[in-house]
Amino acid sequence: MKNLKLKSARAALDLSQQDLADKVGVSRQTINAIEKGDYNPTINLCIAICRVLGKTLDELFWDEEQ
Amino acid sequence: MATKGDKTMKKSIKITLIVIAAALIWIASALVVIIRETESQQTYMTLEEGLIETATTSRFGYFVPVGDECEFSIKTDCPADITSDIKIFIGSKENEPVYTASGVKTNSTVTTGKLAVGNQDVYISFELEDSDNIQVEENCQVKYTIDIKSQNYTLFKNILFAIIVIIVIPLAIFLFYLFNKSKNYEKGYDERQVKVRGIAYMNALFAAIVSALGLGVLSLILDTYPLSTSDTTFAIIMISFATFAIFADKNDAYLGLRGSRRPLAILFGIAGFLNLLGPAIDFITDIRNNSDTVYFSIICGICLLAVSIEMFIKMAREKKEALADEES
């Protein structure tokens, strides 16, 4: 399932996938895979992404519908 | 409290000590090999077509290497009116025989004395003649019992190998330690890449098993299996490596976070091309006469080219994907 929240949060800060990847310390493809829903990141990576984007875990990774 | 660096250092020292101990054990066993003289080996050959030429190294599979010096004792057991001419060739059947015995009668034993075979193939030919000195062509019951004693003078080779082991392995471990110590390495792959690489290693292992089984079956089916044992091993490694590299790269995990794909793709491409160039020259011009390595080169070439092509395709897709992200 696509993670549109992450994509929009990233876009709001005008960051490319590569920019976010560099800040978090992962590859661009990993960010791409998370956004596309192809990869479930570990909690550590989720926290790192949240910190860079200034969001909480709930805001980026919690899906009410599930 | 011990830091992570201290722990790594202790671990590294432990591994180095284990390897040095292993190297010392190896040297001891190498010295044992030096003074070991191969005991007499015995086999039986039944002559069926009047003339048999046998590569003893392949026939006596347990007798490899033959040794630097060899001594043959050949006992014949054949009908009383038949005599044998025995010739021994070293290296090739086309060479001049290094030993010849004519008119060997039944139940007699000829001893060659020490022959300098230098670890080469040894061929023994037997020609049968009847009492009128006419070569026997039809089948007859003849049995040869061959005793072989060989001696290896591999002191230099063994010590050289031991020195290489002693120097190279601790050096490799030291480099491994430095590599692990480096912060760049810790950040070399992200968590998804590590996971993918694990799956890639598993696939590479399966590929190695399947290719080993496949080549093993081929060697049984084909009359003339084109790969030597070492070539087969390297071919399996190449197939396994290609599987790993292609799977890992396809899933973005072959290169680390700072790796650059282009130089590697070019390098693999050139290596693959050069590997295929040799067999192609052989095929077109027949200039080189090293057909033993042709099939191995073809396997290596195909594997390396496959990795290279996959990397170029991946590079193009990556570029497209990154551009699409920039635009969105």
Side-chain angles (χ1 to χ4, degrees):
Chain A
M1 191 178 172
K2 284 188 178 181
N3 191 335
L4 296 174
K5 290 177 186 175
L6 173 59
K7 193 170 183 177
S8 57
R10 177 174 63 80
L13 291 177
D14 200 22
L15 291 173
S16 67
Q17 285 181 343
Q18 188 63 60
D19 295 335
L20 178 59
D22 289 342
K23 285 177 189 290
V24 175
V26 295
S27 64
R28 187 197 63 76
Q29 294 91 342
T30 297
I31 298 296
N32 187 43
I34 296 169
E35 286 183 358
K36 281 162 67 180
D38 292 340
Y39 175 64
N40 287 324
T42 62
I43 192 71
N44 286 336
L45 181 52
C46 291
I47 291 167
I49 291 170
C50 287
R51 280 196 176 134
V52 170
L53 297 178
K55 300 279 182 183
T56 63
L57 284 169
D58 278 2
E59 284 172 329
L60 288 187
F61 295 103
W62 186 257
D63 191 353
E64 296 285 347
E65 288 172 10
Q66 275 189 335
Chain B
M1 193 179 158
T3 63
K4 195 180 172 186
D6 290 340
K7 279 182 184 173
T8 317
M9 178 69 93
K10 278 181 187 172
K11 199 176 172 185
S12 186
I13 290 168
K14 268 185 194 172
I15 294 170
T16 310
L17 286 174
I18 290 168
V19 171
I20 289 171
L24 287 173
I25 292 167
W26 189 89
I27 293 167
S29 58
L31 288 169
V32 170
V33 171
I34 291 163
I35 57 170
R36 187 174 68 90
E37 182 175 292
T38 307
E39 293 298 321
S40 170
Q41 305 283 351
Q42 198 171 63
T43 191
Y44 297 89
M45 294 171 65
T46 302
L47 204 68
E48 289 179 351
E49 296 292 337
L51 172 65
I52 286 181
E53 290 176 335
T54 303
T56 55
T57 47
S58 61
R59 188 175 179 95
F60 309 150
Y62 49 86
F63 205 66
V64 175
V66 169
D68 294 308
E69 280 186 351
C70 252
E71 185 175 337
F72 292 85
S73 296
I74 304 165
K75 186 183 174 189
T76 56
D77 179 8
C78 58
D81 59 333
I82 290 177
T83 59
S84 304
D85 285 351
I86 301 168
K87 289 178 185 170
I88 296 178
F89 306 84
I90 294 171
S92 163
K93 288 175 278 187
E94 312 305 324
N95 292 340
E96 284 294 308
V98 293
Y99 177 82
T100 308
S102 303
V104 179
K105 291 179 181 172
T106 184
N107 284 327
S108 61
T109 303
V110 291
T111 305
T112 61
K114 282 186 178 176
L115 301 172
V117 294
N119 277 318
Q120 297 179 78
D121 287 349
V122 178
Y123 298 86
I124 306 177
S125 77
F126 301 94
E127 287 178 22
L128 296 178
E129 287 179 350
D130 61 17
S131 52
D132 300 324
N133 288 337
I134 296 170
Q135 197 166 322
V136 178
E137 296 291 348
E138 71 270 20
N139 295 351
C140 63
Q141 285 299 311
V142 181
K143 192 163 79 179
Y144 294 99
T145 306
I146 306 172
D147 293 333
I148 308 170
K149 277 183 183 172
S150 78
Q151 204 163 24
N152 273 310
Y153 299 112
T154 52
L155 179 70
F156 177 72
K157 286 178 200 166
N158 285 335
I159 287 178
L160 189 69
F161 187 59
I163 289 169
I164 290 169
V165 168
I166 289 167
I167 293 171
V168 171
I169 294 184
L171 187 70
I173 290 169
F174 182 65
L175 288 175
F176 183 73
Y177 164 71
L178 285 181
F179 202 53
N180 271 301
K181 206 181 161 190
S182 157
K183 284 184 178 176
N184 285 339
Y185 179 76
E186 282 171 17
K187 290 179 181 174
Y189 299 97
D190 66 33
E191 58 179 45
R192 189 182 65 91
Q193 288 176 316
V194 170
K195 189 180 167 189
V196 168
R197 285 173 74 83
I199 300 167
Y201 282 126
M202 187 182 70
N203 287 341
L205 176 66
F206 284 138
I209 292 168
V210 169
S211 54
L213 286 173
L215 290 172
V217 170
L218 270 182
S219 71
L220 291 174
I221 293 171
L222 297 175
D223 290 334
T224 51
Y225 180 63
L227 295 172
S228 67
T229 310
S230 59
D231 284 352
T232 304
T233 310
F234 280 114
I236 291 166
I237 291 170
M238 281 308 298
I239 292 167
S240 180
F241 161 73
T243 307
F244 169 78
I246 290 172
F247 183 88
D249 194 58
K250 189 171 177 293
N251 293 285
D252 325 303
Y254 184 67
L255 299 160
L257 299 178
R258 288 167 184 77
S260 176
R261 192 175 272 115
R262 187 181 294 276
L264 263 183
I266 293 169
L267 188 73
F268 283 139
I270 291 170
F273 175 74
L274 289 176
N275 265 287
L276 289 177
L277 190 65
I281 290 171
D282 267 3
F283 182 73
I284 296 165
T285 62
D286 205 23
I287 289 174
R288 299 187 326 155
N289 189 25
N290 59 345
S291 56
D292 288 354
T293 59
V294 162
Y295 294 98
F296 175 63
S297 295
I298 290 171
I299 292 172
C300 280
I302 289 171
C303 287
L304 290 169
L305 268 188
V307 175
S308 174
I309 289 167
E310 191 282 333
M311 280 184 161
F312 277 113
I313 292 170
K314 184 72 186 171
M315 223 150 47
R317 289 174 75 182
E318 281 283 305
K319 205 174 174 181
K320 204 174 163 185
E321 212 176 83
L323 268 176
D325 174 57
E326 293 278 336
E327 284 166 7
S328 71

